[in-house]
Amino acid sequence: AAAAGSGIHPALASTVAVVGAQRPPSARWSMAVRRSSAATAAAKEPVPVLGNAYTAAGAATVASWTACAVVSLSTHPVLSLPVRHNVLTIAQALAPLPLGVAFFKALRSAANAAGWSRLKSATYRRLNLGMAAASLWWAAAAWWGPAFAVGYRMYSTPFAFTAAVVHVAVAVLCLGVWVRSVAASPPPIGGHYLPRIVRGCMGSVWSLAPRAASSAGSLDDPDSQGGQDGRSEYAAVCALFLWFAIMPIVVSFPLATVPMILGKRFSRPASAWSFLAAVAAYVLKDAAERDRLD
């Protein structure tokens, strides 16, 4: 009626009303940007529950490894060894624990600082996978103890079961975070994560040699960035610790005790610490190559 009274055709009036009700392109773009920013902010929100889970997992790992070391190394199943020898051997077995604490502390800091946004980065995916692999190795060593210790049975069944469950639970936590932070393999093997792990491991082996960007200068120039940031040293350390992780498994005793020197009872379970050291060195090498060590 108002349109008829004003002399404007009703169809034209309705068109003008619809166009007026629509937001201009700039407004729609602004809304899209705000929605994207909100989604990004949500992805970067801290996940304190996950941080607390990492804290609990670290404490459980330290407690389980310490208990296994004390039970395994307090007495020898065949020899009569002095107490001093046993105490020093247990101390040697506990020496790598700060490395495990550092792993869980880094993962907890990532969860508490930026949540899934940071945990999806390659660095924290590697830390999660590395700790999961080590935890599964320790669980196997606890449950199938004689297979890792030339036939010596050091744990009672309840003790072995408890230690194995603890390490499996830690592995499930780390694997669960890793699965949520990556996409499954594409077709024709879609839905499977093992091919992704294999591709990542093979890529890491071929990327073990330090890489230098043109801005970093030559690696053999001690005065260049590439010669000063430690990428070459971290690569060498990674290769050595990777070898020390494999060697106790593929060689016989007494050479299999290197580098932990924990005898036939505990050297093979302890090889997982060498593997974690290799993972840490690789992460540091990668950070040096990306100028992210600070």
Side-chain angles (χ1 to χ4, degrees):
S6 62
I8 301 177
H9 193 278
L12 179 59
S14 63
T15 302
V16 171
V18 171
V19 172
Q22 291 178 343
R23 293 182 176 87
S26 59
R28 294 197 300 271
W29 173 256
S30 177
M31 179 174 290
V33 170
R34 287 197 298 270
R35 289 176 178 173
S36 177
S37 301
T40 302
K44 290 185 177 181
E45 286 184 359
V47 188
V49 173
L50 190 55
N52 293 336
Y54 279 126
T55 300
T61 298
V62 170
S64 180
W65 178 259
T66 301
C68 289
V70 171
V71 172
S72 298
L73 302 174
S74 293
T75 59
H76 195 281
V78 177
L79 303 176
S80 178
L81 299 173
V83 175
R84 181 184 302 175
H85 176 277
N86 296 335
V87 170
L88 291 176
T89 306
I90 293 172
Q92 174 72 5
L94 302 183
L97 284 179
L99 176 61
V101 172
F103 262 69
F104 286 110
K105 185 177 180 181
L107 291 168
R108 182 193 64 189
S109 298
N112 289 337
W116 292 105
S117 175
R118 185 165 298 179
L119 289 170
K120 288 181 179 180
S121 70
T123 294
Y124 296 98
R125 296 202 307 263
R126 290 176 183 131
L127 294 181
N128 270 311
L129 272 184
M131 183 55 67
S135 297
L136 290 175
W137 182 256
W138 291 326
W143 186 245
W144 292 292
F148 287 74
V150 295
Y152 294 147
R153 183 174 297 277
M154 299 166 292
Y155 310 133
S156 65
T157 299
F159 182 93
F161 178 78
T162 302
V165 166
V166 167
H167 291 302
V168 167
V170 174
V172 168
L173 169 66
C174 295
L175 282 176
V177 173
W178 177 82
V179 166
R180 182 169 174 178
S181 65
V182 300
S185 298
I189 52 176
H192 298 279
Y193 292 92
L194 184 59
R196 182 187 180 97
I197 295 176
V198 172
R199 293 198 307 271
C201 291
M202 294 303 298
S204 297
V205 170
W206 287 109
S207 300
L208 188 57
R211 294 171 290 181
S214 57
S215 59
S218 176
L219 292 177
D220 59 359
D221 182 3
D223 296 324
S224 67
Q225 178 184 348
Q228 290 181 340
D229 58 15
R231 67 186 71 186
S232 299
E233 291 83 351
Y234 287 132
V237 169
C238 178
L240 288 173
F241 274 116
L242 189 60
W243 169 243
F244 284 141
I246 297 172
M247 186 176 67
I249 305 171
V250 299
V251 302
S252 59
F253 290 101
L255 187 59
T257 62
V258 178
M260 298 297 291
I261 317 297
L262 295 175
K264 298 178 180 180
R265 292 167 288 167
F266 222 54
S267 290
R268 282 177 174 154
S271 63
W273 291 109
S274 297
F275 174 73
L276 288 180
V279 173
Y282 187 91
V283 166
L284 291 170
K285 179 194 82 77
D286 176 69
E289 292 171 345
R290 295 183 292 113
D291 196 21
R292 296 292 299 274
L293 280 179
D294 293 336

